[in-house]
Amino acid sequence: MTDTVSDGEASDGKTDAGMVIVGAGECGARAALALREAGYAGPVTLLDAEAHDPYERPPLSKDAILAETPVPKGIGGAERLAEAGIAFRRSRKAHAIDRARKTVVCDDGSELPYERLLIATGARPRPLPGNDRGAEAPNVVTLRTLDDAARIRAALGPGKRLAVIGGGFIGLELAASARRLGAEVTVIEALPRLLSRAVPEEIAAVLHERHAAEGARILTGARVAGIEEAGVALADGTTVAADLIVVGIGAMPNVELAEEAGLALENGVAVDATLASSDPDIFAAGDCCSVPMPLYDGRRVRLESWRSAQEQGGLAARNMLGAGETVSAVPWFWSDQYDLTLQIAGLADGAGSHVRREGKDGAFLIFHLAPDGRLLSASGIGPGNAVAKEIRLAEMLIARRATPDPQALADPGVNLKKLL
């Protein structure tokens, strides 16, 4: 597969200084296109270590697993990038940043001069501590890329045994997909319940019950002692038999490029509210960076979110052109498992109280309020889009720093729109 070469790249392979983006995931690809949408006519180069056209990652644990052959959901294919005058270099890794010369050095020795640089290198799966067999064990995998999804899909089917280490979003979505394919599934979670850091206990309980009803085995409070050829050895002396083991215990930001360049780090590349790093000509966005959130008293947060990657990609592009906009979007997350959809708006950290609001067909929402009454977050679960409208309205309330009446929030007869 060859590179997509378009405006900005000369015949000798060198590129005039312009905008360079490292990472062609959701954030990087959207940023490249956003530069053109904002009217930038100079050179734009998009650099990515993967061999594929830019694609979305959320379907990897769902639709891509359910398909006989995983098919990516594209963001901006080679043709679209070329039409936009974007030089897309796939299978090319950024090796170093020379800040003095304002140049990105690639793994093939080529150099890309930049006027502004965006680091959108994303994150990678956190390795399993104490895995004495090593990451190269043939039956131990992670899920982050299209190639990972293809490898997992090939190992699933009726009678196959899958062990998922980690009861977070990715692990549970994969477990649901594997059950639909007829595989035997065991989810191993070290903490007392699923999704301990992500959702209220009531919502986690619904998901636990649903996975169990679908035939998945859920083990909470289960510590992994090691990986064996037969499966996963637990601290209580038992072994979970598995043909395939997927480790899903979180992600680590890819900051090596930024770190070697001497940029400030704090749970990712430390950026300000405009997504500028400690070097004013270098921006960072998406899963690899942490940003102070004005809505949450400037608390620095690293968001691993599809929507945040989209929003930050566009924001970074505009600010690379001098817009000076600050982060204002409310964090938003979602997960599909079986016929249930979970949606979350905002961040619940620092909440002093919460209220529950019942919906139709078993759906419900949990609202978290700050001690001063301000709405901080809303989490909801139900079949299909049962909670989508109310989560969207809650998102608007959070953005306006609203202090709604808790009784009104809890009353399903009160239209949340009236609280805006």
Side-chain angles (χ1 to χ4, degrees), residues 208-224:
H208 188 136
E209 292 170 6
R210 185 54 185 275
H211 278 275
E214 293 287 344
R217 183 185 177 200
I218 306 294
L219 303 179
T220 56
R223 298 279 179 178
V224 174

Side-chain angles (χ1 to χ4, degrees), residues 230-280:
V232 182
L234 301 181
D236 64 4
T238 62
T239 298
V240 175
D243 303 305
L244 183 70
I245 301 165
V246 177
V247 178
I249 56 173
M252 302 168 59
N254 292 322
V255 298
E256 291 75 12
L257 187 67
E259 183 175 24
E260 291 174 5
L263 299 178
L265 304 178
E266 187 176 344
N267 186 26
V269 183
V271 297
D272 64 17
T274 69
L275 302 179
S277 74
S278 53
D279 183 323

Side-chain angles (χ1 to χ4, degrees), residues 3 20 38 64 87 103 115 132 134 172 175-176 178 204 231 252 357 368 382 384 404 420:
D3 292 344
V20 175
T103 299
E115 177 185 352
D132 51 8
L172 293 176
M252 302 168 59
R357 180 186 182 95
H368 285 90
L420 286 171

Side-chain angles (χ1 to χ4, degrees), residues 190-348:
L191 295 176
R193 68 170 176 89
L194 301 175
L195 296 165
S196 294
R197 301 183 182 92
V199 304
E201 186 173 357
E202 298 97 318
I203 290 178
V206 170
L207 291 170
H208 188 136
E209 292 170 6
R210 185 54 185 275
H211 278 275
E214 293 287 344
R217 183 185 177 200
I218 306 294
L219 303 179
T220 56
R223 298 279 179 178
V224 174
I227 303 298
E228 303 174 346
E229 290 187 13
V232 182
L234 301 181
D236 64 4
T238 62
T239 298
V240 175
D243 303 305
L244 183 70
I245 301 165
V246 177
V247 178
I249 56 173
M252 302 168 59
N254 292 322
V255 298
E256 291 75 12
L257 187 67
E259 183 175 24
E260 291 174 5
L263 299 178
L265 304 178
E266 187 176 344
N267 186 26
V269 183
V271 297
D272 64 17
T274 69
L275 302 179
S277 74
S278 53
D279 183 323
D281 291 325
I282 300 178
F283 291 73
D287 293 9
C288 71
C289 78
S290 65
V291 58
M293 302 290 292
L295 272 174
Y296 297 93
D297 302 321
R299 179 160 57 91
R300 184 169 291 279
V301 177
R302 186 172 68 85
L303 297 169
E304 297 173 12
S305 162
W306 168 80
R307 188 199 278 183
S308 291
Q310 279 191 335
E311 292 168 342
Q312 289 187 12
L315 179 64
R318 295 189 297 275
N319 287 343
M320 289 167 76
L321 300 177
E325 299 177 25
T326 58
V327 172
S328 61
V330 176
W332 180 87
F333 312 87
W334 104 100
S335 178
D336 293 325
Q337 298 171 38
Y338 306 109
D339 66 336
L340 295 175
T341 296
L342 161 68
Q343 290 195 27
I344 304 168
L347 303 172

Side-chain angles (χ1 to χ4, degrees), residues 384-396:
N385 291 320
V387 300
K389 180 180 178 180
E390 289 181 304
I391 288 291
R392 175 56 184 149
L393 291 169
E395 185 180 347
M396 296 168 69

